[in-house]
Every structure is written in C-alpha cells, then in structure tokens.
Amino acid sequence: MIPFLDLKAPHVELRAEIDAAIARVLDSGWYILGPEVEVFEAEFAAYCQVDHAVGVANGLDALHLALRAMDIGPGDEVIVPSNTYIATWLAVSQCGALPVPVEPVEATHNLDPARIEAALTRRTKAILPVHLYGQPADLDPILAIARSHGLRTLEDGAQAHGARYKGRRIGGHGDAVAWSFYPGKNLGALGDGGAVTTNDPELAQRLRVLRNYGSQVKYVNEVQGWNSRLDPLQAAVLRVKLAHLDAWNARRAALARLYLDGLAGTGLVLPAVPEWADPAWHLFVVRHPRRDALQQALADAGIGTLIHYPIPPHKQQAYAEAGFASDAFPLACTLADQVLSLPMGPQLSFGAATRVIDVIRQGC
C-alpha cells in the first residue's frame, strides 16, 4: 500500500527531537502563548525573511484576523480565486465582506492577474491570492494592481511554506501572508495552528491584540477580539520541524522531478512551473479527462490519491445564497472535474513514486 500521505512518518523521523521539545514545554508550566511561541514567531519570521510573525490557532483564523486587522468589513469586497479551498472565501465572509471570484491561469491553477481589474469595483478593498499546491502565484502584477488602486494584499500561503517567488521566500511580498500549520502541510503541527507574517509593525500589533480577546494587558480589552492563540506545545513541535523544512522540501522537489520525467507523454496534464517560481511542492496535481477512472485504477493498485478540490466554492451549498449562475467560473469547474493529487511527502520513497508512475503508464 502507498498512502497519499503518511502523517506518522515525520514524527518517527524526528521522534527524539519532538519528544524533547514537548517535554520542555510540559516542564515549563507555560501553556498559553509565552516564550516558546515568541521564539517560534521570531524563527518563522526570519525564515520567511520578514519582520513579524504572529501565531494564531489555525489557518482560517490567520486569514480572517489578518483581514480584520486590515479593516475589511461589511460592505467591502475582496478579490479571491474561483479555484481554491473554501477557507479563502470563508475568511472574507466572516468579516461580513463579499468574496469576488476571479478565474485562474489554467496552466498554474492560480489567480489570473489579467482578469483582476475587470472584477474591481468601488467597494473592493483587498486582493487575496492563493499559492495553491505550493506553487507561487504571480505576485508582481497582482501587487501592481493593488498599489494602483489603493488596495491591500493578503496572500494565502497555507500550502507554500518555503516556496520562493523570483528568488525570495513567500512571506512578505504584499501586506501580509496567512499560514496554516495543519498536520498535512509542509510545516505541520500535531494539531491545528496558524500564523500571519508581515513587515508592517502596526498590522502585527493589531493581530496580537485581536487574537487575545482584544487585549494587550490582562482584563483590559481595547476592542472586541477573538480567542485564537498558537499554543506552546504546537510552537515547540513547529520549531523542530522548521529546522528540517528546507531539507524536506528538497525531497519533495526531487520527487516532483521524478514524476515530471516519468509521467511525460502519458496524456496527463502535468504541473507547469514558471521560470520565476520555486514551488514548495505541497501537492503534485495532475489533470485527466477521465480522472475518476484513473483514481480508481490507482486505488485498485493500492495507491492513495486525493482530489484538491472536488467542488469549487461557488458551487458549495454554503454559498448557494450568493446566486452564482450555473455556468459561472467554467475553468474552476473544469479543474474540479479533472484534478488528481498523487502521493507526495518528504518521507515518500523513490521506489513508491516509481510504482505510482508505472501504474499510471500502464493505465494511460
């Protein structure tokens, strides 16, 4: 059996370091925020080449609170990709704002800068590109549009830990980047966790207040905030894994090269990597017009796969009241019908990846 992702394998590889980190937190007696979180925030900010990182409870909160810190609220509009996980949209909706979908570049599946200006209105306050699958979105034209219209830019980096855009790590190209540390991410905790990185000290301070009941001083509440704090146990585990992130991403890149070479000429649409992008390869996503049959053939061979994502946000029941036309966002719908994520992870062996390639070549 080849699982889509083995979540136990990273712990097995780093068991001694992780166990020592957890013991350090347990012995400290400090279980909410505190020094362990502060050190991780500093280390993660340095890794992302930015000035500030603010830990929160999960990736959705990172998006939501970052938008709140940017004063996004009722009556505002935020440009979002039509092709993304629904959390990107939910964060906008939780602010009382309206997500305005824009179709992707077909080759990269990421937000198409050329389509953004047509979607802008006087109510647009921000653009929210997603670095989907760990593939950087094309930031320069997006940021140029934001600057020319006085808009904020929040990047969704939930799948892009360690990715680079034009040689610089994702983390601070725009106003802020929201991160998830969900266990399956390239930098994953042993539960939920998230963070926001930014070079804006005022934005970072607003986030620290919002995540902690709207308070800087205990029992003194400046604004109506939330309880969304990265806990020290998760921070300690993330500190261990952060030290290995580049090496693990290098393993992912090597597997991606193996897939790209081995699956060439099979009839699959393979990931396209622009020359300016250095992906984190969180996922290796292919396209096939008979995706379901291919997925079943792989399952019959004992190979796990997933679909990221089978239903576009505008087709979800959660957004039924938005009234999108049945034929809206056809490219997002086509991708949802054709994409398939193959096994990928730093502990996946070359032998297992070769087996995946062999099964696909036999079936295609």
Side-chain angles (χ1 to χ4, degrees), residues 114-337:
R115 299 175 186 258
I116 291 175
E117 293 208 73
L120 300 180
T121 74
R122 61 181 179 82
R123 294 185 175 181
T124 308
K125 292 295 179 64
I127 304 175
L128 209 173
V130 178
H131 303 300
L132 196 64
Y133 316 145
Q135 169 92 278
D138 193 0
L139 290 172
D140 279 354
I142 293 172
L143 294 172
I145 293 168
R147 285 191 296 268
S148 67
H149 292 274
L151 307 176
R152 306 301 292 266
T153 305
L154 171 64
E155 302 161 49
D156 184 337
Q159 300 180 353
H161 312 79
R164 293 178 184 268
Y165 176 74
K166 296 188 176 179
R168 179 181 166 194
R169 288 195 203 277
I170 297 299
H173 289 82
D175 292 295
V177 181
W179 303 90
S180 168
F181 302 129
Y182 183 79
K185 305 300 186 185
N186 290 40
L187 181 61
L190 298 184
D192 274 319
V196 179
T197 54
T198 181
N199 284 312
D200 184 338
E202 181 179 350
L203 186 64
Q205 185 56 26
R206 295 191 72 181
L207 284 162
R208 293 185 187 101
V209 172
L210 288 171
R211 74 176 175 182
N212 190 41
Y213 296 98
S215 173
Q216 295 184 76
V217 178
K218 194 168 186 177
Y219 303 132
V220 178
N221 301 86
E222 306 164 22
V223 295
Q224 296 179 18
W226 284 261
N227 175 16
S228 180
R229 302 172 296 202
L230 180 66
D231 74 67
L233 282 169
Q234 301 299 352
V237 171
L238 290 167
R239 288 183 64 197
V240 171
K241 291 187 175 182
L242 181 60
H244 297 269
L245 179 56
D246 283 346
W248 284 1
N249 280 351
R251 295 186 203 172
R252 290 175 180 270
L255 288 164
R257 287 192 295 272
L258 182 66
Y259 276 145
L260 289 168
D261 291 341
L263 295 174
T266 59
L268 295 178
V269 179
L270 301 177
V273 181
E275 52 87 19
W276 41 256
D278 185 5
W281 292 110
H282 173 62
L283 300 173
F284 190 92
V285 179
V286 300
R287 290 173 57 191
H288 194 281
R290 297 184 303 280
R291 185 267 314 283
D292 293 345
L294 175 60
Q295 185 177 38
Q296 186 59 55
L298 288 164
D300 291 344
I303 297 169
T305 60
L306 287 178
I307 299 171
H308 295 88
Y309 299 96
I311 305 174
H314 75 281
K315 292 282 192 180
Q316 295 282 3
Q317 185 177 348
Y319 282 96
E321 293 183 359
F324 292 110
S326 60
D327 59 351
F329 313 112
L331 186 48
C333 292
T334 296
L335 294 176
D337 289 341

